[in-house]
Structure formats: C-alpha cells, structure tokens
C-alpha cells in the first residue's frame, strides 16, 4: 500500500513537473516496481540536493511501449534488461554517455565493462544481475550435476522429474549451450538437430513452469528444474535440499541496466544519479536489499555475510561461461517459434 | 440458454410476444460493446500482418490462417501440406473438455436428482451447499487441487497408507489431472440447470409409468430423461464451452507440457511468439467451432419441439 501510494504520488508529481518544464534539481527515473530501497533514494537526495521522481513499470516490453508512445523527453533514465538495452539502442531511444562524463565509470567490474548488449557501455551502467541455470534435489540424485545433460539427457533417477521454465528464450538458450551451437543459428542442420534434441529431452520432463519453478522443487513435484539463482536460494531456505548447478557448457546470465534516455530533461542530474549508483557503498546497499548481484568493483566486503557465502553467487571452479539471451532477427525467430510450438504441441 | 427458450414455448409466450421490445436495449448495448465489438476487432486483426515482437501492421494478410491450416516445414519453404499441429491441439482440447463434461454429467445428474427430490424447504440449502466451494477464487481452487493430487499429497498418502497401492500413482501433470480440474471447476454449471429441470418435472408421470409396469430403468430412460433433456443439454454446454478455452487447469495441473487451445492463444499475445494475428485467427476458429456446435443443438431443440408440439 505504501509503495502504491508512493508511486501514485510520483506520477502526480510527474504530471505537475512536465507542465512546469524541467525544473532544476530533479531526476526522473522510470523504474521497475519495487526495485530500489527508499533509503538509497533519500541518501541520493541528501547528498546532491536532487529530488528523485519515480514512475514504475512491470515488464521490459511495457516500458518500451510507453516510451515509444510519447514517453520520450519525460524521463531521464530507465532500467531495461540486457536484450532490451540492445533493442532500445537500435530504435534510437538511448543517449550516448561521452568519455569522462561519468566519474565512477571505472568502478564497473571488468566482467561487465564491455557487455555484448552495449559494447563499451556507451549508453548504460550495471544495475543488478543474476543467472539462470538449474537446481537438483540432492536427496534424489547425488551424482555429478555440472552438465546441462541433467536437463536434456537426464540420469535414470531424474527421468520424468524435471521442470523446465515455461519460457522460450530461456529454454532455447540453454539448449543451444547444451549442443554448443549459436543461439540464433541459421544453420539448417543445427536447427533440425535442436528440434530433435528437444523432442527427445521432453520425454524426461514433468512440467513447464516459470512462476512455480521454486515451489515444485520445495514440494517434491520435481527433483530437478531450470531456475533463477534467487529462486534456488529461496527453495533451499524453504527446506528443499537443492544445489544450484554451474554447468560446464555454460549458463544464462541476465542483467538490468540503468540507461540514459535520449532527450532527457535533466541530463546532468541523470549522470549524477548514475555516478551515485556506481559508488561501491551504494551498490552494496542495493544488492543487500535486492539479494541479486552488483556489477560494481569493491562491493564484496560490504555485503551481508549470508549473501557473500551464497552458493548461487559463487560459481564453482569448473563453471562454464555465462551467456545472455540473444534477440534473434525476425526470420530466424520464426523458426525458433516453430520449434517451440513443436515442443509443446 | 437452449433449455430455457425451448421449454418456455406456450400460451404465455404467445400472449406477450410483441410486448416491450425496448426491454432488450440494455442487453443489446452491453452485448454490442463488450461482445460484438471485441469479436469484430479480433476478426479484423486475424487478417492483418503481424509486427515483429507484438502488434500488427495495417496491411491485409491471410498469413495467420495459412499458418493454421498449412504446414510449410521448419523453415517455411517446403510445399504446403495439411498442418496437423493445431488440429491436434484443438482435438486434444475437445477431448479433454468432453471427458470433463461427461464426468460432470455422471456426478451432476444424480446430485441434481437428489436435490430436486428433497422436501421443498430443504432444497435451497442443498443448492447453497453446492455453491459454497465456488465462492473461492478459481485459481486458488485449482492450486489446492494440485496439492491434493501430487505424488506425496493426501490422496496418494491415503492410498499408500491403507495398503491399497504400494507406490504413489502419478496423477499430477497428466491429462487425467486436467480433466479432473476442469470437471471440478465447472460442476455446478451442470448441477444447477439439471436441478431446475428435474424440479419442474411432474413425478406423477413416473408413477404412471410404474403403474403401467415400466421398470425403473425404462422410466428413467423413456420418461424422465426426455423431460429434463433441455436442462441436461444446457448443463453440458455450460461445462463444455468454458472447458474448451481454459488454460488455468492445463497449466497448473497438466504441467503445461502440451498446448491447449487457451494456452496456444495466450502464447501468441503474451509469449515469445508475439503473433497477434495468429492468436486472433486461432480464436476465430475456436469461436466458429463453438457457434456451429450451439447451432446444431439449437436446431435439434427446435426440431424436438416441433415433433412434440
């Protein structure tokens, strides 16, 4: 309720503000619902004297649609996921951050300084990140889980007890890693093989569930399942003896990013806001609150003890590399849509 | 529905045939805004060109229907053959809905008969008892069903505990679980219309049949069933039609392993496919099927009326 009130006030303020034109001392943030602690916002205002006006959305696509339908020029920054940064850049919605404009740009951890979705970090800075892999109930299966074979060619103990996410992007990316082919392959033999592989893998699957990916592991309906890192940790907290896998073939990463929007009414303040989020102390405060990962150097010593020791946040030595889900071209996507329909028909 | 109109023929209807047609205005206005307009929009969308990642381009196209009926291979460049994928999905949905309807009829008919034969004072209480579980949200009821059915849920615990079976039976994530869920979701829609019909039934007809040496079975088949048929048909339609398009039970109880009509359409709007025209086309095919079904029922009813009257 409080949050609801807060966002309604924000929207009201927003309306008032646009009519007075860009007053000094404000930054207008278009953000996910409930994705920043109020203390951090207050701290920014206390340090800089800049008021934060916030409006919220609940999906990348909704944010894109609203910006394209007249929202440009209203907001200074927004927080798209990895693939959406690329889409927004290609649609010309993002401003470029010139060299030297961000004092703390050097704080971005090396791992995230040059991501595929925004080479050279021209438009964005890291906000939070995490991974998608799978978790296995160790009471049911005690063998090696460091391979995607657990999902696509499961051992006898896990046959028929596997849940996969009901999400085409995630299943296809994981399958591509398993087969060692590119995500948006155009090679016909590879695509046919992918289709066949998924058909046979499905025989070992119990269900397709995203929302209940955690719950099916806790209840025992599934003994292994594709899952987001945060969900896996929560499943363990709720009593399931699950271990999060870091497959050697690789696994999926996701990252939300703060982007500088084109025609930002308070560009200077937006840059100050981004600089603020790149201070390790602030990034740590954010991560301690969201329980995801920060993409900023020097955060580790400032994290909660429990968060630092979290198995999900500490890849094993033989873990494969992480990949982002790729947004395929239209004609390629059509083939993947057909494969997905074949899988679920 | 069909039952109501069929049984209302007679003197009252003749007397008031032309009275106050404007009474229907609010209903027509409502139907126009909330049923006809959206259906028309869907029809238009199904003939538009799809925009990548959701949305439509305002250019005429039959691509959506082509995709529904013709298979051009994985890469879309083979000579077209008949596409069985969507027919299979529709057939599965029909089969699931039909099984659920049959289950609802087998349990609903005796229940309705039981209630209708209670003393008049007690009947409202029985009807009330039937509706109580349905005050709870459908989603919550379906999730509870999942708790009941799972491998280590109460049903399996009971069966294993009493020694009836040695190993839990896997019910969850099967077609049977979906049928159970649909049957449970829509059972009152079967009971209530049948109850209404049986309540109006003149039981002296059954007594007369018995006096003429008809067995109980013959009385049921030749006297009671024909008399309450409109209620039975209405109940079957009310269970079958929503079952056909539902996606909650298939997702939660069936594990979403196989598309049903409802989930196939949902995927086109909310999923990765983002193919609005195809979703609209699939909806139109579904709508056409249901309409044909209802027309057949309506014509049979009319013919039956003519035959008896």
């Amino acid at each position: 309720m409080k949050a609801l009130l807060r966002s309604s006030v924000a929207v009201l303020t927003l309306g008032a503000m646009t009519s007075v034109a860009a007053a000094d001392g404000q930054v207008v943030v278009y953000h996910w619902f409930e994705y920043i602690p109020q203390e951090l916002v207050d701290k920014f205002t206390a340090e800089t004297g800049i008021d934060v006006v916030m409006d919220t959305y609940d999906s990348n696509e909704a944010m894109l649609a609203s910006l394209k339908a007249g929202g440009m020029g209203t907001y200074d920054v927004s927080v798209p996921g990895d693939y959406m940064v690329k889409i927004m850049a290609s649609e010309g919605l993002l401003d470029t951050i010139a060299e030297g404009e961000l004092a703390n740009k050097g704080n971005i951890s090396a791992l995230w300084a040059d991501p595929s979705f925004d080479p050279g970090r021209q438009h964005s800075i890291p906000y939070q990140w995490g991974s998608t892999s799978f978790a296995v109930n160790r009471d049911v299966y005690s063998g090696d889980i460091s391979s995607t074979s657990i999902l696509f060619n499961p051992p006898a103990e896990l046959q028929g007890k596997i849940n996969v996410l009901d999400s085409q992007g995630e299943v296809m990316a994981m399958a591509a890693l398993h087969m060692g082919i590119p995500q948006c392959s155009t090679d016909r033999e590879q695509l046919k093989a992918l289709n066949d592989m998924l058909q046979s893998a499905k025989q070992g699957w119990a269900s397709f569930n995203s929302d209940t990916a955690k719950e099916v592991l806790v209840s025992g309906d599934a003994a292994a399942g594709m899952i987001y890192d945060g969900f896996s940790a929560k499943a363990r907290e709720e009593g399931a003896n699950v271990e999060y896998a870091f497959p050697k073939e690789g696994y999926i990463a996701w990252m939300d990013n703060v982007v500088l929007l084109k025609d930002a009414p308070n560009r200077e303040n937006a840059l100050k806001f981004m600089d603020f989020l790149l201070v390790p102390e602030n990034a740590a405060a954010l991560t301690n609150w969201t329980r995801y990962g920060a993409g900023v150097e020097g955060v580790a010593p400032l994290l909660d003890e429990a968060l630092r020791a979290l198995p999900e946040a500490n890849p094993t030595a033989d873990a494969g590399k992480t990949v982002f889900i790729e947004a395929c071209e239209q004609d390629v996507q059509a083939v993947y849509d057909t494969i997905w329909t074949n899988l679920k028909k | 529905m069909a039952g109501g109109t069929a049984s209302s023929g007679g003197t009252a209807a003749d007397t008031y045939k032309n009275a106050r047609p404007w009474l229907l205005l609010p209903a027509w206005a409502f139907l126009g805004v909330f049923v006809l307009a959206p259906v028309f929009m869907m029809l238009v969308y199904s003939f538009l060109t799809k925009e990548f990642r959701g949305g439509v381009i305002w250019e005429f196209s039959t691509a959506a229907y082509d995709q529904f009926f013709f298979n051009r291979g994985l890469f879309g460049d083979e000579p077209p053959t008949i596409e069985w994928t969507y027919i299979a999905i529709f057939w599965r949905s029909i089969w699931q809905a039909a099984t659920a309807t049959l289950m609802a009829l087998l349990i609903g008919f005796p229940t309705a008969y039981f209630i209708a034969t209670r003393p008049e004072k007690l009947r409202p209480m029985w009807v009330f008892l039937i509706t109580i579980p349905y005050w709870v949200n459908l989603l919550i009821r379906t999730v509870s069903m999942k708790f009941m059915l799972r491998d280590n849920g109460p049903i399996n615990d009971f069966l294993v505990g009493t020694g009836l079976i040695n190993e839990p039976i896997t019910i969850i994530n099967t077609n049977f679980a979906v049928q159970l869920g649909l049957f449970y979701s829509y059972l009152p829609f079967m009971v209530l219309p049948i109850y209404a019909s049986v309540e109006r039934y003149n039981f002296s007809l059954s007594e007369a049949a018995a006096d003429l040496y008809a067995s109980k079975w013959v009385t049921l088949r030749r006297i009671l069933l024909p008399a309450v048929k409109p209620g039975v048909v209405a109940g079957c339609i009310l269970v079958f039609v929503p079952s056909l398009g539902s996606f909650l039970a298939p997702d939660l109880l069936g594990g979403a392993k196989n598309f049903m009509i409802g989930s196939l359409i949902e995927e086109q709007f909310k999923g990765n496919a983002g193919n609005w025209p195809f979703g609209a086309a699939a909806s139109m095919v579904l709508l056409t099927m249901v309409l044909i079904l209802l027309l057949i029922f309506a014509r049979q009813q009319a013919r039956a009326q003519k035959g008896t009257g």
Side-chain angles (χ1 to χ4, degrees):
Chain A
M1 192 60 223
K2 210 171 125 201
L4 189 69
L5 205 65
R6 215 189 300 146
S7 61
S8 339
V9 169
V11 173
L12 284 178
T13 328
L14 191 67
M17 186 220 67
T18 41
S19 60
V20 190
D24 278 352
Q26 274 183 330
V27 59
V28 188
V29 180
Y30 197 20
H31 208 332
W32 293 83
F33 192 69
E34 293 270 314
Y35 200 12
I36 189 167
Q38 187 59 40
E39 296 74 40
L40 200 60
V41 174
D42 294 344
K43 187 177 175 217
F44 174 71
T45 305
E47 277 180 16
T48 59
I50 298 168
D51 285 330
V52 177
V53 180
M54 189 113 58
D55 193 5
T56 62
Y57 54 87
D58 61 6
S59 81
N60 280 309
E61 285 70 22
M63 184 257 298
L64 178 69
S66 147
L67 286 180
K68 281 168 82 175
M72 292 304 291
T74 308
Y75 305 102
D76 296 305
V77 297
S78 77
V79 191
D82 40 83
Y83 70 99
M84 187 52 72
V85 174
K86 195 174 171 183
I87 292 173
M88 289 171 80
S90 73
E91 304 226 351
L93 301 177
L94 302 183
D95 199 356
T96 303
I97 304 167
E99 214 42 58
E101 279 196 296
L102 277 180
N104 296 333
K105 196 173 179 184
N107 289 355
I108 298 175
S109 62
L111 187 61
W112 301 119
D114 190 27
S116 57
F117 54 81
D118 183 17
R121 285 284 178 192
Q122 292 201 313
H123 314 287
S124 70
I125 61 160
Y127 188 71
Q128 292 278 280
W129 70 279
S131 69
T132 307
S133 172
F134 57 91
V136 178
N137 188 329
R138 288 317 221 157
D139 295 338
V140 178
Y141 182 69
S142 53
D144 177 34
I145 61 166
S146 68
S147 163
T148 46
S149 295
I150 293 284
L151 289 177
F152 298 105
N153 188 14
E157 293 94 321
L158 296 174
Q159 272 292 342
K161 292 176 185 165
I162 291 172
N163 177 61
V164 295
L165 295 174
D166 195 6
S167 156
Q168 185 187 334
E170 266 130 345
V171 172
M172 292 296 174
M174 209 63 158
L177 285 171
H178 178 67
M179 299 181 69
I181 61 173
Q183 275 188 52
C184 293
S185 174
T186 51
D187 183 297
R188 291 190 163 217
E189 293 312 311
Q190 288 180 352
L191 287 165
K192 275 183 198 154
L194 174 69
N195 188 43
D196 294 345
M197 190 279 286
L198 286 170
Q199 290 293 334
S200 72
K202 189 188 178 185
Q203 306 308 317
W205 295 349
S207 55
F208 288 75
N209 269 318
S210 296
D211 301 342
T212 56
K214 176 196 69 167
E215 194 248 329
V216 291
L217 286 177
V218 176
S219 70
D221 285 353
M226 265 185 90
I227 202 165
Y228 317 106
D229 52 351
F231 264 28
S232 166
K234 280 178 188 144
R236 203 170 41 255
E237 278 169 25
E238 289 174 21
N241 182 21
V242 295
E243 182 177 339
Y244 189 68
F246 294 96
K248 55 181 186 291
E249 293 88 347
Y251 56 108
I252 299 168
W254 56 263
M255 172 170 259
D256 291 324
N257 310 268
V258 183
V259 292
L260 182 62
L261 294 170
K262 193 151 256 174
D263 306 328
N266 311 287
R267 195 172 185 278
E268 285 307 306
N269 293 347
L271 290 169
K272 281 182 193 158
F273 184 68
M274 292 166 103
D275 258 337
F276 174 82
L277 289 173
L278 286 174
V279 175
E281 195 185 314
N282 301 332
L286 183 61
T287 280
N288 282 331
W289 187 78
T290 62
R291 317 302 282 178
Y292 295 123
V296 174
E297 218 64 73
V299 163
L302 304 167
L303 295 182
D304 287 353
E305 190 58 45
L307 200 57
R308 224 180 312 164
L310 207 63
E312 280 75 9
N314 294 284
T316 50
D318 59 349
K321 61 182 187 337
T322 58
V323 297
F324 286 103
I325 294 174
E326 279 170 36
C328 306
E329 296 298 323
Q330 183 161 359
D331 49 340
V332 181
Q333 185 59 43
V335 181
Y336 279 88
D337 287 345
T338 307
I339 294 176
W340 180 249
T341 308
N342 283 343
L343 181 60
K344 294 198 70 181
K345 75 178 172 194
Chain B
M1 291 181 46
T5 49
S7 56
S8 67
T11 51
D14 292 338
T15 314
Y16 293 102
K17 200 158 58 183
N18 292 318
R20 305 184 182 87
W22 49 265
L23 282 175
L24 277 179
L25 263 180
W28 273 115
F30 182 85
L31 286 177
V33 174
F34 294 107
V35 180
L36 295 181
V39 167
F40 180 72
M41 229 161 82
M42 223 160 60
L43 180 68
V44 172
Y45 269 50
S46 72
F47 284 106
L48 293 177
T49 306
K50 79 159 181 173
E51 190 180 353
F52 191 37
R53 295 198 183 95
V56 287
I57 301 164
W58 284 84
E59 266 169 40
F60 177 81
S61 161
T62 53
Y65 290 95
D66 185 279
Q67 181 183 343
F68 195 96
F69 292 110
F70 297 106
N71 181 354
R72 291 168 198 276
L74 192 54
F75 306 100
D77 54 3
E78 291 165 30
T81 53
I82 293 180
E83 174 65 275
W84 291 104
T85 304
Y86 305 112
I87 295 172
I89 291 170
F90 270 57
W91 174 247
R92 182 186 307 120
S93 300
I94 292 169
W95 172 249
Q96 301 276 56
T99 315
T101 308
L102 187 69
M103 283 158 71
L105 182 63
L106 287 180
I107 296 204
F109 189 86
T111 311
Y113 185 85
F114 173 84
I115 298 174
T117 49
R118 290 313 93 192
E120 208 161 331
K121 267 190 197 160
L122 292 178
R123 287 180 212 159
M125 185 203 71
W126 284 104
V127 171
F128 179 72
L129 285 178
I130 291 281
T131 57
I132 281 187
Y134 297 87
W135 297 2
V136 178
N137 179 287
L138 176 64
L139 175 66
I140 293 173
R141 275 186 286 131
T142 310
V143 171
S144 317
M145 191 93 174
K146 189 173 169 168
F147 280 94
M148 297 294 294
L149 296 180
R150 66 175 35 138
D151 287 359
N152 46 10
I155 293 181
N156 270 311
D157 279 356
F158 174 77
L159 292 176
V160 173
T162 53
L164 283 170
I165 52 173
N166 298 321
E167 293 260 309
I169 311 170
T170 301
I171 309 173
I172 196 76
N173 297 331
T174 63
N175 286 341
F176 180 61
V178 178
Q179 289 154 11
L180 270 182
L182 292 174
F183 146 74
Y184 171 58
S185 300
Y186 300 115
L187 181 61
F189 295 139
M190 182 65 86
V191 174
L192 297 177
I194 298 182
Y195 161 71
S197 283
V198 178
E199 201 194 20
R200 280 201 304 265
Y201 173 68
N202 186 350
F203 278 93
S204 43
L205 290 175
S206 292
E207 284 164 26
D211 288 346
L212 295 170
Y213 299 103
S215 68
K216 285 200 165 161
W217 169 243
V218 171
T219 312
L220 171 75
R221 207 162 49 86
R222 304 280 299 268
I223 313 290
L224 177 65
L225 273 185
V228 301
K229 193 177 150 205
V232 174
V233 170
C236 288
I237 291 175
L238 286 178
V239 174
F240 182 77
V241 172
S243 295
L244 202 55
S246 81
F247 57 85
L248 211 53
D251 267 19
L252 287 172
L253 301 172
K257 268 190 294 190
N258 298 311
F259 276 133
M260 296 272 276
I261 299 177
S263 37
L264 175 73
I265 293 172
E266 191 201 13
E267 175 85 8
Q268 307 310 316
F269 291 96
K270 289 171 73 188
N272 236 20
N275 190 344
W276 292 13
F278 182 69
S283 306
M284 290 315 293
V285 175
L286 173 63
L287 189 74
T288 312
M289 262 174 39
V290 172
L291 273 181
I292 291 174
L293 196 74
L294 290 179
L295 278 177
I296 292 174
F297 272 124
R299 282 190 57 165
Q300 274 194 346
Q301 291 285 323
R303 215 173 286 158
Q305 282 292 313
K306 237 183 233 165
T308 56

